Amino acid sequence: MRSGTLLPLKQASVMPGFGITLGYTLIYLSLLVLLPLGALIAKASGIGLSGIVAVAAEPRVATALWTSFSISLVAAAVASLFGLLVAWVLTRYDFPGRRIVDAIVDLPFALPTAVAGIALAALYAPNGWVGSFLEPLGLKVAYTPLGIFVALVFIGLPFAVRTVQPLIAESERELEEASALLGASRWRTVWSILLPPLLPGVLTGFALAFARAVGEYGSVIFIAGNLPYVSEIAPLLIVIKLSEYDYTGATVIATIMLAISFAALLVINLLQAWSRRRFGHV
């Protein structure tokens, strides 16, 4: 392109209807995303910055926010790690029942969250199939923060698997074979050959699992126990505020969650951009 030449505003494309699709995109973003979020922030800003800080500093609110975000962060990291392993097994190995296992990975997508919460609570309760074995060991899962972690890993695993699975399928085995022929150890091959192209997918899965975990409600409240200052999550506290007709308090907590989530996702997106520049993969 010559210097000083301006790109045309409307470029030729195989997809017709640029104006209609652009209009739909703007209307969708405005009505379903920007306006609701703007109304939320406007409602919360009615009490001023000092009021928002005061609500955030309330011990019960601060504890619920810490519980939601800290456990979501750890659960997303664990889901990403094990999602990578699950995706690797499903992509690289052929075994009886592989298609069934592959379909089961998507179950948390289709399963109602309340059903998942009831099933997990029944399974990990002290008298449940798994909980009855853990209880004598002094490990209590249901009705503790550990139960929240289990529920968030459950709902985050499909995101971690599905985002990295196509990248594993496209990875070139010739590079692994060349690395082995040149004398590299298995760990060196995994670290230097396999992981770099998979990193953007892993980060994407982590971001999706974290975003889903922060706002998760149905599958958590049944297994968490919902004890204030112990296992109470921020979304539940919003519901409690609404049931008490404290709409300002509910919108303030929601706005704080929105701000923290936006900042966390921004950092993750920056890491994704860095990994794409560093390793040259989309």
Side-chain angles (χ1 to χ4, degrees):
M1 184 181 65
R2 290 179 302 176
S3 177
T5 303
L6 297 177
L7 291 173
L9 180 62
K10 183 177 179 180
Q11 299 182 4
S13 172
V14 295
M15 288 288 290
F18 169 77
I20 295 176
T21 54
L22 177 62
Y24 172 79
T25 301
L26 295 177
I27 292 174
Y28 172 83
L29 289 176
S30 299
L31 294 181
L32 298 182
V33 180
L34 297 180
L35 283 180
L37 294 181
L40 177 70
I41 296 173
K43 178 70 176 179
S45 62
I47 62 173
L49 182 59
S50 59
I52 295 176
V53 173
V55 172
E58 292 178 8
R60 187 176 179 181
V61 175
T63 304
L65 289 171
W66 170 255
T67 300
S68 288
F69 282 96
S70 61
I71 297 180
S72 296
L73 194 66
V74 177
V78 172
S80 299
L81 174 62
F82 286 95
L84 177 61
L85 296 178
V86 172
W88 183 268
V89 170
L90 292 176
T91 306
R92 287 298 184 92
Y93 299 102
D94 192 11
F95 53 90
R98 184 177 66 86
R99 292 183 182 276
I100 297 176
V101 176
D102 194 40
I104 291 176
V105 169
D106 292 329
L107 199 58
F109 283 147
L111 197 66
T113 55
V115 175
I118 293 173
L120 291 173
L123 191 64
Y124 288 97
N127 58 349
W129 288 353
V130 177
S132 59
F133 290 101
L134 298 178
E135 183 75 7
L137 302 175
L139 189 59
K140 188 176 181 180
V141 178
Y143 318 126
T144 67
L146 186 57
I148 302 175
F149 168 78
V150 171
L152 296 185
V153 171
F154 173 79
I155 58 99
L157 186 64
F159 295 100
V161 174
R162 295 311 182 203
T163 51
V164 78
Q165 201 169 8
L167 298 178
I168 295 176
E170 293 177 358
S171 62
E172 300 177 6
R173 298 196 180 195
E174 291 78 5
L175 295 177
E176 303 168 33
E177 295 171 357
S179 176
L181 290 174
L182 292 174
S185 63
R186 289 188 175 184
W187 174 246
R188 181 65 182 275
T189 301
V190 170
W191 184 257
S192 302
I193 303 298
L194 294 177
L195 284 183
L198 302 182
L199 187 57
V202 173
L203 289 174
T204 301
F206 175 82
L208 294 175
F210 174 74
R212 171 69 187 274
V214 167
E216 182 61 19
Y217 180 79
S219 63
V220 173
I221 58 172
F222 291 101
I223 195 173
N226 307 319
L227 298 175
Y229 305 101
V230 178
S231 58
E232 188 177 55
I233 59 174
L236 176 62
L237 197 54
I238 293 175
V239 175
I240 293 175
K241 294 282 186 181
L242 291 175
S243 65
E244 295 173 348
Y245 303 102
D246 184 6
Y247 300 117
T248 302
T251 54
V252 168
I253 297 174
T255 302
I256 294 171
M257 291 189 68
L258 175 65
I260 298 175
S261 300
F262 181 78
L265 292 178
L266 179 62
V267 172
I268 295 171
N269 285 333
L270 291 175
L271 287 175
Q272 286 178 305
W274 170 82
S275 67
R276 284 194 291 268
R277 290 194 303 270
R278 173 66 176 80
F279 303 111
H281 292 271
V282 179

